[in-house]
């Protein structure tokens, strides 16, 4: 058969054949533009009360909430795999959630106890503390609510107290995820005032009001509480220029690094941020993105491992310095092999 195939005259290529460098594995390795290493991966952990306790999350198969002692073990595993930092999220017991979210600044809350336990057992790993009220408030909103309105400046006052408690407990990076205006500057000033000038702020600068957060809300126990949505503070998914304004503002207020969230559907924002600002940029491969890969793989629709690596490389290609991913430990171990 083949001998009858007509060979087209390709003179117009002028010798330019892009397939040349793709022909062999060694050549593909040589021209590869992006790299993924364990140092690119930040691992989010969900914390619960108890001892030697882990609970499954229905919408995030493979991810478990862990009690503090198991978080310490997870931190050791992460350190050994070369992961530079963990992002912690508490599932606050129901009876401690309240309208004013006061548990957020209780120096003995679940978050603070986790920070100090990991800090003393595994001092080599960085600890990123999420600051927002949704994990402590009775309505699952990230801010204080009055007459259906999310109060900006009052929320910022509470966030400052929460960030200071986390700083004292051992946080290395304060990560405000609430999208209130002015919170980065307010937290920076408060940290500096208490001698925490070395603590970093990683701001969730471009955070969208997203449907991809569903499984996370189950994980931290806010899903069933939340009334309405978060569109008066998180961004409209139709917008892109506005994300640059948010990032610009947070850098001006003193953010050391910024985050884009969700991840894969917002890689255009990561790229624009990379092209416009000279700060470290992180992207969050959020719970819904994790769930989509897991459920599609379980249905036999995609190759799980291949899709995971492809998704993480996409972040690097877009210009992210690192990715918060529920796959961090699994992938870091795989890369280290
Ligand atoms: C809010 C917060 C959320 C996530 C991280 N921090 C949820 C929300 O804004 O409703 C989502 C992360 C994920 O979906 O994996 N404090």
């Amino acid at each position: 058969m083949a001998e009858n195939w007509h060979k087209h005259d390709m003179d117009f290529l002028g010798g330019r054949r892009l397939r040349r460098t793709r022909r062999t594995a060694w050549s593909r390795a040589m021209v590869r533009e992006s790299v993924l290493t364990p140092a690119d991966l930040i691992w989010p952990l969900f914390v619960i009360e108890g001892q030697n306790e882990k609970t499954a999350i229905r919408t995030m198969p493979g991810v478990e909430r862990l009690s503090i002692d198991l978080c310490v073990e997870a931190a050791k595993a992460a350190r050994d795999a070369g992961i530079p930092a963990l992002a912690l999220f508490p599932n606050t017991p129901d009876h401690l959630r309240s309208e004013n979210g006061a548990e957020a600044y209780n120096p003995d809350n679940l978050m603070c106890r986790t920070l100090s336990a990991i800090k003393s057992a595994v001092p080599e790993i960085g600890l990123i503390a999420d600051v927002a009220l949704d994990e402590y408030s009775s309505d699952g909103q990230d801010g204080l609510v009055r007459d259906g309105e999310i109060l900006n400046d009052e929320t910022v006052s509470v966030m400052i107290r929460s960030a200071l408690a986390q700083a004292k407990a051992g946080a290395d990076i304060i990560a405000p995820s609430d999208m209130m205006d002015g919170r980065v500057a307010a937290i920076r000033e408060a940290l500096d005032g208490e001698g925490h000038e070395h603590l970093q702020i990683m701001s969730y600068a471009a955070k969208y009001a997203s449907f991809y957060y569903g499984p996370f809300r189950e994980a931290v126990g806010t899903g069933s509480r939340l009334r309405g949505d978060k569109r008066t503070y998180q961004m409209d998914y139709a917008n892109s220029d506005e994300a640059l304004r948010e990032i610009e503002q947070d850098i001006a207020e003193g953010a050391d690094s910024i985050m884009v969230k969700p991840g894969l559907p917002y890689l255009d924002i990561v790229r624009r941020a990379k092209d416009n600002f000279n700060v470290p940029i992180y992207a969050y491969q959020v719970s819904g993105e994790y769930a989509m890969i897991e459920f599609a793989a379980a249905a036999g629709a995609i190759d799980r491992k291949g899709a995971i690596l492809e998704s993480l490389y996409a972040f690097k290609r877009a210009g992210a310095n690192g990715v918060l991913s529920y796959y961090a430990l699994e992938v870091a171990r795989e890369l280290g092999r």
Side-chain angles (χ1 to χ4, degrees):
M1 264 292 238
E3 58 270 19
N4 297 329
W5 287 356
H6 172 68
K7 192 172 174 186
H8 188 74
D9 176 1
M10 298 294 264
D11 278 356
F12 68 90
L13 278 179
R16 290 179 294 268
R17 287 177 182 270
L18 292 175
R19 288 185 58 195
R20 217 173 268 137
T21 53
R22 293 197 289 261
R23 254 187 99 226
T24 56
W26 64 261
S27 179
R28 287 193 295 274
M30 212 169 85
V31 301
R32 196 157 221 206
E33 297 174 40
S34 308
V35 286
L36 181 69
T37 73
D40 295 316
L41 302 168
I42 295 168
W43 194 24
L45 294 182
F46 298 115
V47 198
I48 49 172
E49 290 290 357
Q51 184 70 25
N52 195 25
E53 199 71 57
K54 45 170 121 170
T55 58
I57 302 158
R58 188 184 56 86
T59 51
M60 297 183 81
V63 176
E64 290 169 319
R65 305 177 192 89
L66 304 174
S67 54
I68 295 179
D69 53 317
L70 296 184
C71 283
V72 170
E73 294 312 307
K76 288 178 186 162
R79 172 200 60 198
D80 295 346
I83 291 173
L86 303 173
L88 302 173
F89 299 97
N91 182 315
T92 304
D94 281 349
H95 70 278
L96 296 173
R97 298 186 196 224
S98 64
E99 218 168 284
N100 61 16
E103 182 65 7
Y105 50 84
N106 172 2
D108 203 33
N109 69 19
L110 182 56
M111 179 70 149
C112 291
R113 279 180 283 125
T114 310
L115 287 166
S116 55
I118 299 178
K119 183 90 303 186
S120 60
V122 197
E124 308 87 2
I125 204 158
L127 296 179
I128 302 174
D130 194 80
V131 185
L133 295 190
D134 58 326
E135 285 129 42
Y136 311 95
S137 67
S138 35
D139 51 35
Q141 291 288 357
D142 293 23
L144 298 169
V145 189
R146 188 194 299 138
D147 303 330
E149 184 92 23
I150 308 294
L151 306 174
N152 192 89
D153 305 8
E154 292 83 344
T155 298
V156 170
S157 317
V158 181
M159 292 181 66
I160 289 171
R161 297 179 68 178
S162 179
L164 286 175
Q166 294 171 344
K168 280 200 190 81
D172 299 293
I173 301 182
I174 299 296
S177 70
D178 59 296
M179 293 295 283
M180 295 302 124
D181 288 322
R183 88 276 206 226
V184 172
I187 292 173
R188 182 73 271 162
E189 187 187 296
L191 289 174
D192 292 354
E194 304 257 317
H196 299 294
E197 13 335 68
H198 56 284
L199 251 65
Q200 299 178 33
I201 296 179
M202 176 189 284
S203 92
Y204 286 69
K207 177 171 179 178
Y208 287 83
S210 174
F211 290 94
Y212 290 89
Y213 305 150
F216 173 95
R217 292 179 187 166
E218 185 201 343
V220 297
T222 59
S224 53
R225 312 171 164 274
L226 188 63
R227 304 267 169 278
D229 55 49
K230 302 192 175 185
R231 287 185 223 200
T232 68
Y233 45 106
Q234 297 178 353
M235 284 184 51
D236 180 349
Y237 53 59
N239 296 354
S240 170
D241 292 346
E242 189 185 342
L244 297 196
R245 287 187 67 200
E246 282 284 359
I247 294 167
E248 188 176 28
Q249 175 75 22
D250 284 4
I251 294 170
E253 288 184 29
D256 300 285
S257 56
I258 61 104
M259 201 196 298
V260 173
K261 179 182 172 196
L264 228 47
Y266 295 83
L267 289 186
D268 58 321
I269 308 299
V270 174
R271 173 44 66 184
R272 284 193 78 187
K274 176 72 181 168
D275 290 342
N276 281 279
F277 303 104
N278 298 313
V279 293
I281 299 161
Y282 297 90
Y284 199 142
Q285 180 178 48
V286 301
S287 56
E289 299 175 62
Y290 174 89
M292 291 197 325
I293 293 177
E294 287 304 309
F295 288 116
I302 57 173
D303 176 80
R304 182 177 176 279
K305 226 163 147 183
I308 293 169
L309 276 181
E310 182 178 342
S311 68
L312 293 172
Y313 266 96
F315 287 106
K316 292 302 302 288
R317 190 186 65 236
N321 291 74
V323 188
L324 288 89
S325 171
Y326 300 101
Y327 292 118
L329 183 63
E330 179 184 342
V331 171
R333 281 177 165 163
E334 181 73 28
L335 293 173
R337 216 163 270 167

